[in-house]
Amino acid sequence: MPRTRAASKPSPNTLKQEPSARALRLQGWRTTDDEEIERRRQRAASEPLTVEAIEPAHPVFGAFRVSSETGSAYEVEIRSLSRRDNSCGCPDHLVNGLGTCKHVEAVLARVRSAKTARMDSERIEVFLRRDGERPEVRAQWPAGVRRPAASALVERFFTPEGALHGAPLDLLPELARALKSSPPRTRGSIRLSRHLLPWVEEERRRAARTAARERFLADAEAGRETLDVVRHPLYPYQREGMLHLAFTERALLADEMGLGKTVQAIAACALLRRLRGVERVLVVCPASLKGEWEEQIARFTDLPARLIFGPRAQRLSQYGSRDGGTFFYIANYEQIVQDGDEIQRRLAPDVIILDEAQRIKNWQSRTAQAVKRLRSPYAFVLTGTPIENRIDELYSILQFLDPALLGPLFRFNRDFYELDERGRPAGYKNLDELHRRVAPVLLRRRKDEVEGQLPGRTDKHYLVPMEEEQLARYGDYEKRVSQLLAQARRRPLLPEEMDKLQRWLACMRMICDTPYILDSDCRICPKLAELREILAETLAEPGTKVLIFSEWERMLELARDLAQEMDAGFAWHTGSVPTMRRRDEIRRFKEDPGCRLLLSTDSGSVGLNLQAASVVINLDLPWNPARLEQRIARAWRKHQTRPVRVLHLVAENSIEHRMISLLAGKQALADSVLDGRGDLSALPLPSGRKALVERLEALTGLTAAPPVRPENQDTQPAAAPNEPLAGELLALLGDRLLNLEICTAPDGRETVLAVVDGGVPDRAMEAVIQGQFAGTPPALELIDRQAFEAIERLVEMGVLQFAPEGRRRLHRSPVLEPEKDAQGAARVARERRLAAARDLLARSERKLRMAAVLAGGGFSAEALPSLREGVELGLHARAVMDGKDSPETDKLPDDWIEARLPPHLPLVRTLRDGSEVLLGATPGEVGAWIAAGEVLVREVANALL
């Protein structure tokens, strides 16, 4: 049968036998198996899949190769047109438990068009049925076809009902051998699925793991083997971790921070090298930890390691080089996104180690998808925080190890989330079952379980009152959040409002430290006085070293000034410091007795071994408890010989003060699933508008009172609008809002008349209006600028007349001033352009300032959207000056930019198209881009002058 493309529509024959490929209307995450099967049928009908027969003698009940345009290809076996007994080698079919996939459905859509009276294969089929949660080995005899010799052979192994007589790992290889030695006629009457024996080998491999570990331990006890595979002795719990990784083969090590996951993984690789002959290990870690891995490998082994650096061509040559017998190849996550396919082809690692594997917790991210395309016999996932916020983060991480462990995402959602009537997650359930399922691959030890091998730890919170000016600035942002909180009580917040909310909450947290983070002219910082007292006492103790963490680099600048004033030696570790320089700073802190302090943003809270310190000072609290523990674990970890003191400086009666209980609540979720502690039956999942309001109230201490309904509302017209209506709509629309009026009809009905230039977000405007009126809100009437100016000209000519009463103007843009003559019209048009350009330029400057604030606080990735938007607004300001009429949502073409702002074209291209470049950008690069954007805006501003 020739190669063909799968039909884009089901054939008439298909429609008679199967449900039509109707458009699915799914309710959020709530789907049934039938809906999931229908979804795969629709994908088979709509995607460009190529079907090729690879058993020409069996045009219907045979084997087929199904290929996609991406280059992937899978082999499909068809054995029934009426039951889900068909098979495919694709990941979805291996995991989903539906007995079908889009590749199977694509073949079925084709073969059903062939003329055949049979619904099932004419051969005896021995296959793996995957129509259910666990695969099942089955035999199927053809109805009405006698195969005496073949039947006799198969009946030695299977019951008349098609079930195996015994263990598949023993019987199936025996059946394969018997079939191979049987006559050709018998062999041709039996099809042993090509997907069956690989499954047997994988199951045999799984079954052998426990026995292999027991044999190794017995040999070690008898002196034939040794557990000492690295230079320095391991703690007993670390030996257990080494064995867990090596003999589970694909395993998650989720020890709390500071228990030595790195050395356990290194030891497991050394053990596998000796026992199984592994030759190449790929370590994937954050860029800041590559040097730490190199140091730990050199400290514990003699095995050669190579750091992957340089341009792409240089990196590719490093993956393929075998010079020096490199054993460990150390790359960062951003390099995997760009180089993953070449790594697989050139390096073909035996072991893959993912360090700080929470980097792949978002299963939709490009990083997670790139990492999950890597293949290796052994895989070690290391993270102390496999759950930071939600349980589907754990799902994404475990997908890399074994996609079948937790099944398909739709079934995971069904099993472990409580879904509301719209299919949205409302809570967790069956967490005890989730804990049981992950137990075979998960090993997690908490510090309190091995505390006999670690020094003690004490935590203390210092509540620091804010000063008057600090409180006033904090109150400004608190008032803004309060207004949005009132809005959230009445209606869902708009995306623009959610962005404001996140920025204002972040600003409240920054001011808890110091207004200096936002305003370089205000250096008020009560925490600094508290820090001075703490350091004076701490540094009086000979040999004591201190880690000082803050989320914001400008807060650390004040701490640095204090250290210089106190003549205390310090090291500096922030995202703006180049990677190689960071290593030098860490080494100086560890080795130089005069270097007593390490000042670090959260760039230094992950993966570093800083046992030289015995005091950790948090100048502020992060949102996430895992991030907080990561900071502390730099000092409170293995090989620490002194008790560790952890000091938290917290602004009193502030959002920071109230975050303490929020951090405890997030920790409870991780404890339930990972450690089996607490109530494992169910946990609530805060979601929806009500939960948002409750969280805001808990964080800010504000209470959003419900709107007051006036008495006799049924007989009263709508209340007068709140004063912020014009401000809210101006914030939403900017200079596109040209005119805003409240019009009252003779019968008392009110209408908001808005003149808007460009695209009209009517639903967003209606939501704003509903939030500003008590009772029944007025109607919204929208007209564009051309229509409104035409109406005003007709009024001026006397053709039309506005009602003498019933109009209340809330806003009018100066660009709507009347044009008296041609010269005046040109002047007004020019003024309009300049006013519009100034407005765009002001918005551009605000976006760039926001980008600078975020980047300065260590949030380089979060700064990029504001940077990109600021640059585009600056370009549009220049275009408006030239009289170019294009919506600001459109991208100005390269040739226009090259003609007017040629030095800035490379920056614009990078921000628009360089997704891979942006993904791997260092804080220094982001800072350079922000500076370049500021130069662009200054150039446009000079042109305006």
Side-chain angles (χ1 to χ4, degrees):
M1 188 176 288
R3 288 169 66 105
T4 62
R5 298 291 286 272
S8 60
K9 296 181 180 179
S11 68
N13 189 41
T14 303
L15 294 173
K16 291 177 183 178
Q17 299 182 44
E18 295 291 343
S20 63
R22 63 188 181 280
L24 284 175
R25 301 186 63 181
L26 303 176
Q27 283 277 22
W29 289 4
R30 188 191 307 280
T31 62
T32 65
D33 282 4
D34 288 341
E35 287 170 335
E36 291 293 336
I37 291 170
E38 184 64 30
R39 175 182 283 171
R40 284 153 179 79
R41 288 189 182 129
Q42 290 187 4
R43 292 184 64 187
S46 61
E47 295 183 12
L49 301 175
T50 301
V51 178
E52 177 186 8
I54 54 180
E55 280 188 305
H58 300 278
V60 176
F61 301 106
F64 302 83
R65 182 175 293 105
V66 182
S67 308
S68 67
E69 288 188 337
T70 62
S72 61
Y74 299 100
E75 292 185 355
V76 170
E77 293 175 341
I78 300 299
R79 53 184 59 88
S80 177
L81 303 183
S82 58
R83 296 188 303 274
R84 292 200 292 272
D85 289 340
N86 306 304
S87 57
C88 177
C90 76
D92 182 46
H93 193 279
L94 300 180
V95 169
N96 66 37
L98 299 172
T100 191
C101 62
K102 69 177 182 180
H103 307 102
V104 169
E105 294 299 328
V107 178
L108 287 174
R110 186 183 114 167
V111 300
R112 285 192 179 112
S113 62
K115 294 181 179 180
T116 176
R118 297 190 60 83
M119 295 300 290
D120 299 299
S121 172
E122 65 277 11
R123 292 180 284 184
I124 300 175
E125 299 278 354
V126 180
F127 62 100
L128 195 65
R129 176 179 288 162
R130 293 187 180 271
D131 182 14
E133 291 192 9
R134 293 188 59 81
E136 180 185 13
V137 179
R138 302 291 298 175
Q140 174 183 301
W141 282 267
V145 179
R146 289 181 55 80
R147 309 280 192 192
S151 294
L153 174 58
V154 175
E155 287 168 0
R156 287 164 44 193
F157 300 91
F158 287 87
T159 68
E161 293 76 26
L164 264 175
H165 282 305
L169 302 192
D170 298 326
L171 294 182
L172 289 176
E174 185 181 343
L175 170 60
R177 290 191 294 270
L179 188 60
K180 186 176 181 179
S181 61
S182 62
R185 184 183 180 93
T186 301
R187 288 201 304 272
S189 301
I190 302 171
R191 177 163 61 163
L192 188 67
S193 172
R194 65 192 64 215
H195 303 128
L196 196 52
L197 291 182
W199 173 82
V200 169
E201 289 306 310
E202 179 59 28
E203 290 299 302
R204 189 185 304 282
R205 185 182 177 102
R206 291 176 189 269
R209 291 172 184 168
T210 301
R213 175 170 174 163
E214 292 174 354
R215 283 196 305 271
F216 175 78
L217 290 175
D219 288 343
E221 187 173 350
R224 294 186 295 272
E225 287 287 359
T226 178
L227 291 169
D228 298 325
V229 296
V230 290
R231 283 193 184 127
H232 302 287
L234 302 178
Y235 292 125
Y237 77 86
Q238 291 177 327
R239 286 184 172 181
E240 181 189 7
M242 172 189 72
L243 296 172
H244 170 72
L245 293 173
F247 289 102
T248 306
E249 298 181 359
R250 302 186 69 83
L252 169 59
L253 183 60
D255 286 349
E256 274 194 317
M257 282 76 71
L259 295 185
K261 294 184 289 293
T262 301
V263 68
Q264 293 175 68
I266 292 171
C269 292
L271 181 60
L272 287 174
R273 180 173 180 267
R274 198 173 74 204
L275 298 180
R276 307 280 176 85
V278 302
E279 297 178 350
R280 294 174 298 280
V281 177
L282 173 66
V283 177
V284 185
C285 64
S288 60
L289 298 186
K290 292 166 78 172
E292 184 73 19
W293 269 91
E294 184 182 40
E295 289 181 9
Q296 292 293 308
I297 290 168
R299 179 185 177 195
F300 283 93
T301 75
D302 294 318
L303 298 171
R306 166 174 290 179
L307 295 181
I308 305 300
F309 276 116
R312 177 172 163 80
Q314 180 180 336
R315 298 197 305 268
L316 297 186
S317 66
Q318 292 170 351
Y319 300 129
S321 173
R322 296 288 186 267
D323 294 344
T326 302
F327 187 74
F328 290 101
Y329 295 78
I330 307 170
N332 50 278
Y333 282 95
E334 293 79 8
Q335 291 168 341
I336 302 303
V337 174
Q338 301 179 45
D339 305 343
D341 293 340
E342 288 296 324
I343 290 174
Q344 195 66 57
R345 186 173 67 84
R346 295 171 181 244
L347 183 59
D350 301 310
V351 184
I352 296 176
I353 301 174
L354 301 186
D355 190 18
E356 300 299 336
Q358 62 270 19
R359 289 291 186 95
I360 65 167
K361 69 180 183 180
N362 180 359
W363 53 272
Q364 295 176 311
S365 70
R366 294 180 67 230
T367 299
Q369 292 173 7
V371 167
K372 290 174 188 178
R373 285 195 293 269
L374 297 174
R375 295 288 178 266
S376 64
Y378 303 90
F380 306 156
V381 170
L382 314 180
T383 173
T385 55
I387 296 178
E388 292 186 335
N389 297 292
R390 296 165 64 110
I391 59 174
D392 43 346
E393 296 169 353
L394 178 63
Y395 174 88
S396 180
I397 291 171
L398 289 178
Q399 260 195 326
F400 173 71
L401 292 176
D402 181 2
L405 185 66
L406 295 177
L409 184 61
F410 71 85
R411 207 179 299 281
F412 177 86
N413 293 337
R414 192 189 300 170
D415 290 345
F416 302 114
Y417 277 103
E418 291 283 3
L419 303 177
D420 63 17
E421 65 280 358
R422 297 185 181 179
R424 298 177 303 187
Y428 300 111
K429 64 180 182 181
N430 303 329
L431 295 185
D432 50 350
E433 171 62 16
L434 178 56
H435 176 68
R436 185 192 65 78
R437 286 231 213 134
V438 303
V441 301
L442 169 68
L443 179 63
R444 176 173 173 82
R445 278 76 56 87
R446 295 168 63 98
K447 290 196 176 97
D448 58 12
E449 297 172 16
V450 295
E451 59 188 354
Q453 302 170 41
L454 292 172
R457 163 182 160 181
T458 57
D459 285 70
K460 183 176 181 180
H461 289 85
Y462 289 79
L463 298 181
V464 183
M466 288 191 279
E467 292 191 9
E468 185 175 348
E469 173 66 18
Q470 193 177 8
L471 281 169
R473 295 180 184 234
Y474 181 89
D476 289 341
Y477 287 106
E478 189 177 50
K479 185 181 299 183
R480 300 180 195 182
V481 171
S482 177
Q483 292 171 347
L484 285 180
L485 182 56
Q487 295 281 38
R489 172 74 73 176
R490 294 192 290 268
R491 60 167 173 79
L493 294 181
L494 305 170
E496 297 86 354
E497 293 170 326
M498 285 298 298
D499 290 342
K500 290 180 185 176
L501 176 63
Q502 291 169 355
R503 290 198 301 270
W504 292 343
L505 289 174
C507 289
M508 290 171 69
R509 294 179 58 222
M510 292 176 192
I511 290 175
C512 286
D513 273 358
T514 170
Y516 178 69
I517 298 173
L518 298 171
D519 180 1
S520 58
D521 294 329
C522 183
R523 297 174 67 92
I524 294 171
C525 184
K527 288 185 179 181
L528 212 58
E530 194 70 46
L531 179 63
R532 178 191 296 274
E533 297 298 323
I534 293 171
L535 290 180
E537 178 183 347
T538 302
L539 297 181
E541 303 170 8
T544 299
K545 295 199 174 192
V546 183
L547 305 180
I548 301 177
F549 284 106
S550 175
E551 198 160 335
W552 293 286
E553 188 167 336
R554 298 198 73 175
M555 179 62 182
L556 288 177
E557 290 177 8
L558 298 182
R560 180 178 61 189
D561 293 346
L562 175 63
Q564 291 171 335
E565 182 183 330
M566 297 179 69
D567 197 25
F570 64 88
W572 184 258
H573 190 291
T574 69
S576 60
V577 177
T579 301
M580 300 306 290
R581 170 78 183 281
R582 288 187 222 173
R583 294 175 62 186
D584 293 338
E585 292 290 293
I586 292 296
R587 188 176 294 111
R588 188 161 63 86
F589 176 72
K590 289 179 178 181
E591 299 174 0
D592 182 356
C595 185
R596 306 284 300 278
L597 309 177
L598 174 67
L599 307 178
S600 178
T601 60
D602 283 317
S603 64
S605 69
V606 179
L608 296 177
N609 296 314
L610 301 173
Q611 301 93 327
S614 58
V615 178
V616 179
I617 301 175
N618 291 302
L619 298 179
D620 38 64
L621 297 178
W623 283 118
N624 198 296
R627 182 69 60 84
L628 182 62
E629 287 300 314
Q630 284 174 338
R631 293 179 177 181
I632 298 166
R634 297 315 101 214
W636 192 49
R637 60 193 300 116
K638 64 183 177 65
H639 304 309
Q640 175 61 270
T641 59
R642 292 166 294 176
V644 174
R645 286 182 290 151
V646 183
L647 312 178
H648 310 278
L649 303 189
V650 179
E652 190 174 19
N653 297 322
S654 69
I655 183 174
E656 193 173 53
H657 194 170
R658 299 179 186 94
M659 280 170 58
I660 296 173
S661 60
L662 173 70
L663 294 173
K666 287 187 174 183
Q667 188 62 50
L669 173 62
D671 290 348
S672 295
V673 176
L674 302 176
D675 302 317
R677 300 184 177 189
D679 182 4
L680 290 182
S681 57
L683 278 177
L685 174 62
S687 64
R689 180 157 53 100
K690 180 180 178 182
L692 172 65
V693 171
E694 291 173 352
R695 284 198 299 270
L696 288 175
E697 290 176 346
L699 276 173
T700 61
L702 303 169
T703 301
V708 178
R709 298 174 65 86
E711 297 181 4
N712 305 321
Q713 177 165 330
D714 292 341
T715 61
Q716 290 187 3
N722 294 329
E723 190 63 32
L725 176 60
E728 288 281 346
L729 290 177
L730 281 167
L732 176 67
L733 301 170
D735 63 313
R736 290 189 294 152
L737 181 64
L738 304 181
N739 193 72
L740 183 67
E741 300 178 11
I742 302 292
C743 303
T744 305
D747 61 2
R749 288 180 301 165
E750 292 186 333
T751 301
V752 174
L753 173 65
V755 180
V756 179
D757 197 7
V760 180
D762 51 346
R763 292 185 181 178
M765 293 181 67
E766 287 171 353
V768 171
I769 292 169
Q770 288 172 2
Q772 293 295 332
F773 283 81
T776 304
L780 172 65
E781 188 67 42
L782 288 170
I783 59 176
D784 61 24
R785 175 178 174 178
Q786 289 75 18
F788 185 71
E789 289 179 331
I791 291 172
E792 289 201 321
R793 284 196 298 270
L794 291 173
V795 169
E796 189 176 346
M797 294 166 58
V799 177
L800 295 178
Q801 182 178 355
F802 284 119
E805 298 179 356
R807 294 179 69 201
R808 188 161 77 89
R809 177 171 291 160
L810 303 180
H811 168 72
R812 182 179 177 89
S813 170
V815 303
L816 289 179
E817 293 304 317
E819 303 172 5
K820 300 302 182 182
D821 49 35
Q823 184 178 2
R827 177 181 56 79
V828 169
R830 180 174 177 276
E831 290 176 353
R832 286 174 179 169
R833 288 199 306 274
L834 291 177
R838 290 190 187 100
D839 178 74
L840 287 167
L841 197 61
R843 290 163 59 197
S844 170
E845 290 171 342
R846 287 198 297 272
K847 290 293 182 182
L848 289 174
R849 281 199 300 272
M850 177 58 69
V853 167
L854 290 169
F859 294 94
S860 298
E862 290 79 358
L864 289 171
S866 295
L867 169 60
R868 186 186 294 110
E869 191 172 349
V871 168
E872 294 290 350
L873 287 169
L875 294 174
H876 276 280
R878 182 70 175 83
V880 167
M881 290 169 54
D882 289 355
K884 189 173 181 61
D885 183 18
S886 64
E888 65 183 62
T889 53
D890 290 351
K891 292 180 179 178
L892 294 163
D894 285 5
D895 55 356
W896 183 91
I897 300 171
E898 191 169 17
R900 289 159 181 81
L901 299 163
H904 305 290
L905 183 57
L907 170 68
V908 176
R909 284 176 171 169
T910 297
L911 294 177
R912 284 180 178 177
D913 306 318
S915 55
E916 291 184 351
V917 174
L918 296 179
L919 188 64
T922 65
E925 289 172 328
V926 174
W929 292 335
I930 292 173
E934 291 170 344
V935 171
L936 184 152
V937 170
R938 283 199 297 272
E939 189 173 323
V940 175
N942 291 335
L944 265 174
L945 296 175

